Amino acid sequence: MPAVSSLRLRPTVAASLLALHALGAMAQTPAAEPAASSGTLATVNVEASADASAEGLTKPYAGGQVARGGRVGILGNQDMMSTPFSGTSYTADLIQDQQAKSVADVLLNNPSIRQARGFGNFQELYMVRGFQLGSDDISYNGLYGMLPRQYVASELFERVEVFLGASTFLNGAAPAGSGIGGAINLLPKRASSEPITRINTGIQSGGQAFVSTDIARRFGPDQSTGIRLNAVRRDGGTGVDGEKRELSAFGLGFDWHSRNVRLSADLGFQDHEIRGGRPNVTPAANLPIPAAPDARKNYAQPWSFSKERDTFVTARGEVDITDNVMAWAAFGARRGTESNALANPTLKDAFGNLSSSRFDNVRKDEVSTGEIGVRGKFQTGPVGHSVTVSAAMYDNKRRNAYATSPTGGLSDNLYTHYDSFMPLTTTSPTVGGNMSDPLLQSRYRSKSIAIADTMSFLDDRLLVTIGARRQNIDQDTYSYGSGLPQSGYESARTTPVAGVVFKATNEISVYANYIEALLPGETAPVRTSSGQAVLNAGTVFAPYRSKQKEIGVKYDGGSIGGSISAFSTDQPQYYVQNGSFGANGEQRNQGVELSLFGEPVKGLRVLGGLTWLDAEQRHGATDGKTAIGVPKTQLNLGAEWDVPGVRGFALNARVIHTTKQYANATNTQVIPGWTRVDAGARYIVDIGNGRALTLRARIDNLFNKSYWSSTGGYPGSNYLVLGNPRTFSVSGTIDF
């Protein structure tokens, strides 16, 4: 296990660290001392604006693990009791205390979400209310397409905002074609009123060590200018045998404000590589799902890898035209490259024998996006109005190429792995494009305009929101080999929204909504996850809409809060049937969600909830069957306890329970339900001279449960993902 001190830093990150410390020296502002109390030693609690907005961040709720609300698309930041939608905003305190390394780690706290994988790769993909949400459809400060597609380091964001339900009116259509069940928005870090000089280092099972730094300062006589820099380097093995990950990430955030103008900007860079990553497994057709192997086992070929490198920049501005009229504009751009050499196996029999082939691909993305808007408030008699008008655009040019080896060229076993040689890739038709210089293969463009009016009645106790977004989508695909146009469409759709909130008391709000999702047309894949060639590969289908209805009740008791909601959402099903890809049915997800959060008694914080789902396939060959990869019940429950009499010491634990999932559309293949327990501890020490040392230890999958954590993910696919083994993590954070 390598020592933390031996951790290698790439020149880019090393230079970033030096710049961070130089910035700290320039400011010459002493850090605030940690606050003391009879029970715990609290870290400095400071607030910062997440972007160029007059509202700033929504306030943390009791316990500090979640916020009182968050961004509701073009409607801006809203308190949880005033919006007709459901969601949760996780804070930086929760991210740090749970040693979360990525978005997926944070979302382990949400009972409406389960983690899966992208099609044939290591992309983090989320099942939200039983529908897919790809990591490339996560927004950054309200803008789509800015983040790395497969993995996002947690050091780059302040909050993780989860919106449950369709959101096309609020955010625009998710460009990668997911997000029917919900949306995720990451908020960047900003300099707070108090200076920050923080270094964090740690190590986990498998020898992966890391070091990160976070420095923020405000400048000027009125603290009008802020700069915040974050950098992280991780390198080493994981708890999975032979799997290694390497990451370098850097983020720079800037903000400035005057009396009526607010500006912010971000520059981000991430370089992430997985070597020997444990792959997905496609089950054999019409055979029972085999028992999960030991969670530490790896059936990856040692030569397999996945690399991605991304650079992005965003800017946002807001100006108060009058006391009641505000306008804003935002812009973003990203350049990303990916390359992979994969060998995703297919099960051949009930004894765990596997067959796979080599699949290589390269991808380059050029993304640009922007939005403008204006919001005005006025009265018409006893009715208050908040009217929002917004326009947005998005453009993604994707270059792609792939190559494969002969099908079935590699053999292996799920329980007794053995390495295979790296086979050569073959010529056409198993090669698409030039691997060293991929041509333009796909272009997606969209533009939209939206308008909404939130009307308030009865002294703001009754709020009614109505609106619509008109969105035009232009999508084309091109030949891998020649770059000539192959298929495409241009189409426009209007998606409405209607929502109502009634504040029955100061503690209870009742809400309902109707909202739709607009998704870009699906593109027929080159092959299925089992290697079957698709007859109409590359065909692009027209956009389609998904309709959602929801009702719910929210409770705010000051120290404890929660909600209960019921929803129903319909979605067309696209999958391969008789060798061709197309809309071959419909999926209807209906469910009930219960959430709980807060600090019911001093020193005890709770977070979690329960979700019941009924995901039924309709109007197809599998009418009445449950959709692939959607469990009936999902439970997440966590608690953190300040140990009495031990100043600064806290214990935490979390239980995650998921019932069985079907691994095929006919429901003849089943993966068992599973329960996982995580535990951790935190100890804060005042080391004098205004410095605090925070020590954290964590054990994920405490009882080393071996289980298939998910099946499916990509629509129509049914590959299996093995859950991670017991993983130990320790870290130390010093605030100077």
Side-chain angles (χ1 to χ4, degrees), residues 217-239:
R217 294 292 187 272
R218 300 209 69 84
F219 302 91
D222 59 352
Q223 303 276 287
S224 61
T225 302
I227 299 178
R228 188 161 182 177
L229 297 104
N230 286 267
V232 59
R233 170 68 178 174
R234 304 182 202 146
D235 196 2
T238 70

Side-chain angles (χ1 to χ4, degrees), residues 116-125 135 149-151 243 245 272 274-280 300 304-306 308 340-342 344:
R117 286 245 186 103
F119 180 67
N121 56 31
F122 299 97
Q123 178 189 30
E124 290 185 348
L125 184 143
S135 56
R149 287 192 343 109
Q150 298 194 27
Y151 182 92
E243 182 179 273
R245 288 178 178 256
H272 181 230
I274 304 174
R275 299 184 298 278
R278 185 166 63 193
N280 311 327
S304 62
F305 71 88
S306 177
E308 61 171 342
N340 303 271
L342 306 170
N344 293 322

